[in-house]
Amino acid sequence: MTINQNDDTLVIGLVSISDRASGGVYQDQGIPALETWLGGALTTPWRVETRLIPDERARIEATLIELVDDARCHLVLTTGGTGPARRDVTPEATLAVGTKEMPGFGEQMRQISLRFVPTAILSRQLAVIRETPDHAALIMNLPGQPKAIKETLEGLKDAAGAQLVGGIFAAVPYCVDLIGGPYMETNPAVCQAFRPKSALRAAPAQPEEKA
């Protein structure tokens, strides 16, 4: 399978999955939390596609497919619907549209959350790659609460700012590299992206100021 993504603009899909928020019972907090965190973490230009949908498996699957195949997202982040309740079907929908499972993301998400609550073992968050003949995207299921979203993406730091537990987003830019997406750069004060030395690119030259 040949993947050739010619568009250098990073496109991120944000999907909040909630019966009540999508029904107008309360205001969605997931998408605003994701946009705020990404705005502080990414130094690469990016644009966003947002979707607010109910906990319906067919709807989730169709939305993920549309974001990757039609909207050409390189990264899709979902929030909500990953617990053990009957209406929590986000992981099943995500697995159904993926072509490769990426189990390390889910493992690390639970390790982070277990620092705070023992019920983190009930979380079924996961990540997959969805590939088409000319495009690919990383799809990740995230928690539903803004505080947990930040902790999962960024990891945990001590009072001095030293990293105690790595967040999952540190591995995202290199993953997107490997599936043919745009080169993503991050603000190290928020999240230090990790790449092997062979995968690093020089920073673009800054234009000289005129006297």
Side-chain angles (χ1 to χ4, degrees):
M1 181 175 290
T2 301
I3 299 170
N4 181 19
Q5 298 179 346
N6 294 319
D7 186 359
D8 289 335
T9 302
L10 176 63
V11 185
I12 302 178
L14 304 180
V15 185
S16 187
I17 300 163
S18 169
D19 287 333
R20 289 181 292 173
S22 63
V25 176
Y26 62 74
Q27 188 172 2
D28 172 60
Q29 296 182 349
I31 290 174
L34 286 167
E35 288 183 309
T36 297
W37 190 87
L38 290 166
L42 289 174
T43 58
T44 301
W46 58 288
R47 65 179 178 86
V48 69
E49 295 278 345
T50 63
R51 307 286 187 273
L52 176 58
I53 60 175
D55 287 284
E56 297 172 2
R57 178 169 171 174
R59 181 74 176 275
I60 299 168
E61 290 182 22
T63 298
L64 296 178
I65 291 170
E66 182 261 328
L67 284 171
V68 177
D69 297 13
D70 299 331
R72 309 288 283 183
C73 291
H74 306 100
L75 173 66
V76 178
L77 305 176
T78 75
T79 174
T82 60
R86 292 189 178 188
R87 293 288 291 175
D88 291 336
V89 292
T90 301
E92 285 76 16
T94 303
L95 284 171
V97 305
T99 52
K100 289 189 179 81
E101 188 174 358
M102 304 294 288
F105 285 105
E107 294 166 3
Q108 184 64 6
M109 281 189 259
R110 283 178 281 279
Q111 286 297 315
I112 294 168
S113 296
L114 279 168
R115 293 290 189 108
F116 299 96
V117 290
T119 51
I121 60 175
L122 302 179
S123 167
R124 300 184 302 120
Q125 294 152 4
L126 53 82
V128 301
I129 303 294
R130 175 172 174 81
E131 298 167 308
T132 69
D134 66 344
H135 188 73
L138 172 63
I139 304 173
M140 301 195 300
N141 302 153
L142 298 177
Q145 297 300 316
K147 181 175 181 292
I149 289 172
K150 181 178 185 295
E151 291 163 351
T152 298
L153 293 171
E154 193 171 320
L156 306 177
K157 299 176 182 178
D158 63 18
Q163 198 81 37
L164 297 175
V165 179
I168 63 168
F169 204 84
V172 168
Y174 186 49
C175 182
V176 172
D177 289 351
L178 293 173
I179 61 175
Y183 190 83
M184 301 168 61
E185 295 184 281
T186 61
N187 175 2
V190 177
C191 174
Q192 178 67 63
F194 177 83
R195 288 179 171 92
K197 290 183 179 179
S198 60
L200 294 173
R201 298 184 189 176
Q206 298 297 318
E208 294 183 4
E209 294 185 3
K210 296 182 178 180

